[in-house]
Amino acid sequence: MTTSATPPTSRYVDGAWHRLHPATPLLRGGIGLLAVLIYVGGNLRERIVAWVFHLPDVGGDPVDEIGRHNLVLPATLIVLGVLVLGVGVFWLSWRNSEFRIDGDAVTVRHGILLRRVRTAKLDRIQGVTIQRPLLARIVGAARIELDVAGQNANVRLEYLSNVAAENLRRDVFVLASGRREERADAPPADAETAVLTDPGVPVVVVTPGRALGSILLSETVVVLVVVAGVVIPLLTAIGAGPIAAVSFVPLVIGSVTVLARRVGRNLRFSVESTPDGVRVASGLISTSTEALPPGRVHALRIEQPLLWRPAGWWRVSVNRAGHRAGRRNAEAERSLAPVATTEEVLALLPLLVPDLADDRELLLAGLVGRGHGEDFTPAPRRARWLRPLSWRRTGFRLTDASIMARAGFLRRELVIVPDARMQSVSLRQGPLQRLLGVATVHPHVVSGPVRTRLHLVDAELAQQLFRDLAAIGVGARRVDVSHRWREVTP
């Protein structure tokens, strides 16, 4: 792709080492240390005073004892000394934490006694997330996390100012996209004052009603209702009510915690289209803005639980190389769009898989279609014994640049795999599948919440499909340029 003149970059993209936000020591641990000291001091204050000042037995209030023995000045000096020591340690940590951005990588180094260096190669960056916890929002700071392909390879910058964080993310994407040329008459902008973020076009906007409705109609709430309305009364009727109530307390606490976290994330959730891919914003108290550049989606799934069907809501999840398997968030919280309407899904999918941009009917057939037709290759009728309810909807379709697989009866599901993101392909056939003359074809991609399997494929067709996908994957990777979306010609 050929682009016009490049806008100026921020002052951080110069290859020199830069320090983080001055409030970084406080945000990274200063408040936590202060809280620990207050807790320990409140619980052990009598013993601490007796040990430091060699008093026999401090039975009353330590402050009164200090005043009675004329130890106010030494006590004040000790408290100030501890505070100065703590501030000094965190200041040294901040002074020894630096980062730089050059044409190939983002490098972070930190540590006082033990120096650590982490590098994120620009061509392996899968996304950039800007997080603003509550305390960071108060001081106008943000934490940046670079999602890098590899096991636990992500790189964090804690913290930068809000404007600098936005500009830095844009500059990282400019470099990662292949753009290298800059205008001679456009000097670097001040990262602390000039906002360089490209405006976004809203694609998915979750309203408060939809956010709350999706939670109330979720499987977690259904389980809680069944437990409270059926299981506990049934156990009470047989004399095990109190024991049952106690045993279900952990389940209730865990479920309520998960639901509260989802509500807090979904109440201000939006997805925007930008020149550098899609940008996902979420959070009510602590906010997060995640940018996903083009060419980084390895697989995506659009699913619709049964209770969401009357409202026409869908959940969109993706696999990408930069997401770690052991992250705290649950699968539903890692989704690209936790609850979106059909029209929003139809507008979002072409941004993630561009070759589907002009085929609305094909997308609708994948979302809600079933049975025979020219759009999808359906499962043979003899396969109904393996999936009695969903065999009519099970099928696949090969487009010019992706693989589509639909399935599900109670929970509709459409999986899309870009050809260029396939890493390998396998063919499996169990005993029952062999008896019924069907097989499963599995295009392999990076791990994640999306399972990329083509189920109930006719056995002979599966063998041909296996050979075709192997050749398609190799050819697609050779010509793919989606990950170099802003590359310019000299």
Side-chain angles (χ1 to χ4, degrees):
M1 179 183 298
T2 303
T3 62
S4 58
T6 304
T9 59
S10 71
R11 64 180 177 87
Y12 286 140
V13 187
D14 56 4
W17 290 101
H18 299 276
R19 290 196 176 93
L20 302 171
H21 194 282
T24 294
L26 178 66
L27 297 173
R28 293 186 64 179
I31 294 179
L33 175 62
L34 183 61
V36 170
L37 292 177
I38 292 175
Y39 175 79
V40 173
N43 286 273
L44 302 176
R45 55 186 180 179
E46 291 86 358
R47 295 188 178 182
I48 292 175
V49 170
W51 176 70
V52 172
F53 298 106
H54 304 287
L55 298 179
D57 183 14
V58 182
D61 187 88
V63 177
D64 295 338
E65 295 296 327
I66 290 173
R68 187 178 299 115
H69 292 82
N70 297 320
L71 299 173
V72 175
L73 181 59
T76 303
L77 293 177
I78 290 175
V79 172
L80 291 177
V82 171
L83 292 178
V84 170
L85 179 62
V87 171
V89 170
F90 283 112
W91 181 82
L92 286 176
S93 176
W94 171 74
R95 287 282 299 181
N96 287 275
S97 297
E98 299 175 306
F99 72 95
R100 72 177 180 185
I101 304 175
D102 53 29
D104 298 316
V106 179
T107 305
V108 181
R109 65 184 183 188
H110 58 89
I112 302 176
L113 299 179
L114 179 63
R115 299 286 286 172
R116 298 181 180 178
V117 179
R118 301 204 70 172
T119 300
K121 301 294 290 184
L122 291 174
D123 58 356
R124 295 183 65 82
I125 290 178
Q126 307 296 305
V128 179
T129 302
I130 297 179
Q131 299 171 331
R132 297 180 178 90
L134 178 59
L135 294 177
R137 293 178 66 184
I138 294 176
V139 300
R143 176 173 59 221
I144 301 180
E145 182 168 3
L146 306 176
D147 290 335
V148 183
Q151 183 66 26
N152 293 327
N154 291 5
V155 173
R156 280 189 175 188
L157 298 176
E158 299 177 309
Y159 289 76
L160 291 174
S161 69
N162 288 325
V163 174
E166 293 287 352
N167 292 342
L168 186 106
R169 175 168 60 184
R170 178 191 177 279
D171 293 335
V172 167
F173 280 164
V174 167
L175 296 175
S177 67
R179 182 191 295 177
R180 290 294 183 271
E181 292 186 348
E182 302 290 341
R183 294 188 310 176
D185 60 341
D190 187 351
E192 303 294 337
T193 58
V195 180
L196 303 178
T197 304
D198 293 313
V201 178
V203 178
V204 178
V205 178
V206 179
T207 62
R210 193 196 309 170
L212 295 175
S214 64
I215 298 299
L216 295 176
L217 297 177
S218 65
E219 294 89 341
T220 304
V221 173
V222 172
V223 171
L224 291 178
V225 171
V226 171
V227 169
V230 179
V231 177
I232 292 181
L234 181 61
L235 294 176
T236 302
I238 62 176
I243 299 177
V246 173
S247 63
F248 283 116
V249 168
L251 171 64
V252 174
I253 294 176
S255 300
V256 171
T257 302
V258 171
L259 293 176
R261 190 182 300 158
R262 291 182 185 176
V263 170
R265 180 175 187 255
N266 295 354
L267 279 178
R268 293 187 60 186
F269 191 96
S270 64
V271 181
E272 296 180 344
S273 171
T274 72
D276 292 311
V278 297
R279 186 164 59 226
V280 181
S282 62
L284 189 61
I285 298 176
S286 296
T287 64
S288 174
T289 306
E290 183 176 10
L292 178 63
R296 267 63 174 183
V297 173
H298 290 249
L300 64 92
R301 178 184 64 208
I302 309 98
E303 58 180 337
Q304 184 183 61
L306 180 63
L307 296 179
W308 287 11
R309 194 170 299 178
W313 295 336
W314 302 83
R315 179 186 298 125
V316 181
S317 305
V318 298
N319 285 7
R320 62 186 219 237
H323 265 196
R324 293 170 290 178
R327 272 189 157 171
R328 179 190 65 180
N329 294 341
E331 176 180 326
E333 295 173 314
R334 295 199 308 265
S335 53
L336 186 65
V339 50
T341 64
T342 302
E343 290 301 321
E344 289 174 338
V345 170
L346 294 177
L348 177 62
L349 291 185
L351 302 177
L352 305 175
V353 187
D355 76 300
L356 301 177
D358 300 325
D359 206 333
R360 178 186 175 93
E361 295 301 322
L362 177 62
L363 291 176
L364 286 174
L367 294 175
V368 300
R370 62 192 296 266
H372 290 266
E374 60 181 5
D375 293 326
F376 280 75
T377 301
R381 184 176 180 83
R382 60 183 179 275
R384 68 187 184 277
W385 300 109
L386 296 177
R387 295 192 174 189
L389 298 179
S390 62
W391 71 273
R392 289 182 181 276
R393 193 175 138 69
T394 302
F396 70 93
R397 167 70 185 268
L398 303 184
T399 69
D400 293 338
S402 61
I403 309 162
M404 303 176 66
R406 69 183 185 191
F409 176 74
L410 299 179
R411 177 187 290 268
R412 290 173 174 169
E413 179 180 286
L414 174 64
V415 173
I416 303 175
V417 180
D419 293 341
R421 304 282 85 82
M422 274 194 300
Q423 298 182 348
S424 62
V425 61
S426 64
L427 174 65
R428 297 183 60 184
Q429 187 180 51
L432 292 179
Q433 291 178 315
R434 189 178 303 113
L435 181 64
L436 297 174
V438 294
T440 299
V441 180
H442 185 187
H444 295 276
V445 296
V446 298
S447 61
V450 182
R451 294 186 175 184
T452 57
R453 291 182 175 88
L454 312 184
H455 296 283
L456 305 185
V457 182
D458 179 82
E460 294 185 2
L461 180 60
Q463 295 181 13
Q464 182 61 43
L465 183 63
F466 170 79
R467 293 188 291 267
D468 292 343
L469 290 182
I472 288 174
V474 173
R477 286 192 294 272
R478 288 176 177 172
V479 300
D480 177 52
V481 293
S482 60
H483 58 294
R484 312 294 285 178
W485 66 99
R486 286 198 183 202
E487 192 163 15
V488 298
T489 56

